[in-house]
Amino acid sequence: EAGVAQSPRYKIIEKRQSVAFWCNPISGHATLYWYQQILGQGPKLLIQFQNNGVVDDSQLPKDRFSAERLKGVDSTLKIQPAKLEDSAVYLCASSFRKAPGELFFGEGSRLTVL
Amino acid sequence: AQKITQTQPGMFVQEKEAVTLDCTYDTSDPSYGLFWYKQPSSGEMIFLIYQGSYDQQNATEGRYSLNFQKARKSANLVISASQLGDSAMYFCAMRDGQGAQKLVFGQGTRLTINP
């Protein structure tokens, strides 16, 4: 079974530029999450989708971050314009709704904002 | 609001020894789940073990076991017979509320196994 796929693995941009990250979850997983992990910290949830609907985006900085999950499969997370404090690893995870909540993570996309 | 606390920023252990990683949590919901994840230098979060709040016995998965003390609100991870490949960041996480699948993570503990 293929795992959660993310791209790009690494991205370096200057502040005020834009960036987009892509995630393809495990086939059949209805729930998709984007987490932000700043160096030295635990992951923080940005947004949670159930199929193509948003369940929780309370910690998403909506003035600069946006995410979509068209057709309830893969998802894109966009940052525009980027700030220095957005430097982090962006982790995508998916889960099968009926499981006790185990999340399967991708390898992450590391963003450096200069 | 739920909260997860991992008080050990770093741990150093000799190979083949057992190690305990601490985790305490705070929630007012009677139904919750506790998870441990391992994050090697490659960056991927790897699920290790799960404990439900109503589970009567402590969870075990191979060399991993969870020392669940409900009254103390602690869920420590025990790794027996540590190996060099166990060197990684370890995160404790909690899901609360029936049906909720959002996980909240602690700050993590960096475990280093010395040969």
Side-chain angles (χ1 to χ4, degrees):
Chain A
E1 180 181 80
V4 176
Q6 289 189 247
S7 67
R9 287 294 315 277
Y10 305 93
K11 189 74 176 179
I12 301 174
I13 62 173
E14 294 190 349
K15 58 183 179 183
R16 290 188 289 274
Q17 287 187 324
S18 63
V19 63
F21 302 111
W22 174 83
C23 171
N24 189 31
I26 293 173
S27 178
H29 282 196
T31 311
L32 185 147
Y33 311 78
W34 283 102
Y35 279 84
Q36 180 193 57
Q37 186 177 20
I38 293 172
L39 186 64
Q41 299 182 16
K44 181 186 83 172
L45 180 70
L46 291 176
I47 189 166
Q48 176 184 349
F49 291 95
Q50 182 69 26
N51 296 309
N52 61 351
V54 175
V55 174
D56 186 342
D57 63 357
S58 57
Q59 297 193 89
L60 187 73
K62 298 180 185 62
D63 57 335
R64 299 182 300 104
F65 285 65
S66 65
E68 59 183 11
R69 191 183 183 197
L70 300 176
K71 300 180 182 178
V73 182
D74 53 356
S75 175
T76 303
L77 176 71
K78 296 179 181 177
I79 308 174
Q80 182 180 13
K83 291 186 175 181
L84 297 177
E85 58 261 36
D86 298 332
S87 293
V89 176
Y90 291 86
L91 293 164
C92 180
S94 68
S95 68
F96 180 58
R97 194 171 189 274
K98 292 183 180 180
E102 177 186 343
L103 270 59
F104 297 84
F105 285 84
E107 291 185 312
S109 294
R110 182 178 296 276
L111 172 66
T112 302
V113 182
L114 303 176
Chain B
Q2 54 181 273
K3 184 178 176 182
I4 294 284
T5 303
Q6 295 180 254
T7 57
Q8 306 154 310
M11 289 276 288
F12 295 85
V13 173
Q14 211 63 28
E15 189 180 9
K16 298 181 185 177
E17 291 184 348
V19 57
T20 298
L21 305 181
D22 296 341
C23 173
T24 58
Y25 60 91
D26 185 27
T27 181
S28 56
D29 199 309
S31 176
Y32 53 89
L34 296 155
F35 300 76
W36 277 92
Y37 281 83
K38 172 184 178 181
Q39 187 177 43
S41 55
S42 61
E44 186 176 356
M45 299 281 280
I46 301 168
F47 168 75
L48 295 178
I49 196 166
Y50 166 81
Q51 179 85 43
S53 58
Y54 294 122
D55 293 344
Q56 295 297 314
Q57 292 188 324
N58 287 347
T60 60
E61 289 286 348
R63 294 187 300 112
Y64 304 108
S65 60
L66 204 151
N67 184 4
F68 182 46
Q69 298 188 43
K70 200 169 182 177
R72 290 187 170 187
K73 292 190 175 180
S74 75
N76 299 338
L77 177 70
V78 180
I79 305 174
S80 63
S82 58
Q83 302 171 356
L84 296 179
D86 294 333
S87 293
M89 284 291 290
Y90 288 80
F91 291 95
C92 181
M94 181 170 68
R95 165 190 60 78
D96 65 5
Q98 282 187 334
Q101 294 200 27
K102 180 175 79 172
L103 293 188
V104 175
F105 288 82
Q107 296 286 80
T109 296
R110 180 170 296 282
L111 176 63
T112 302
I113 308 299
N114 295 317

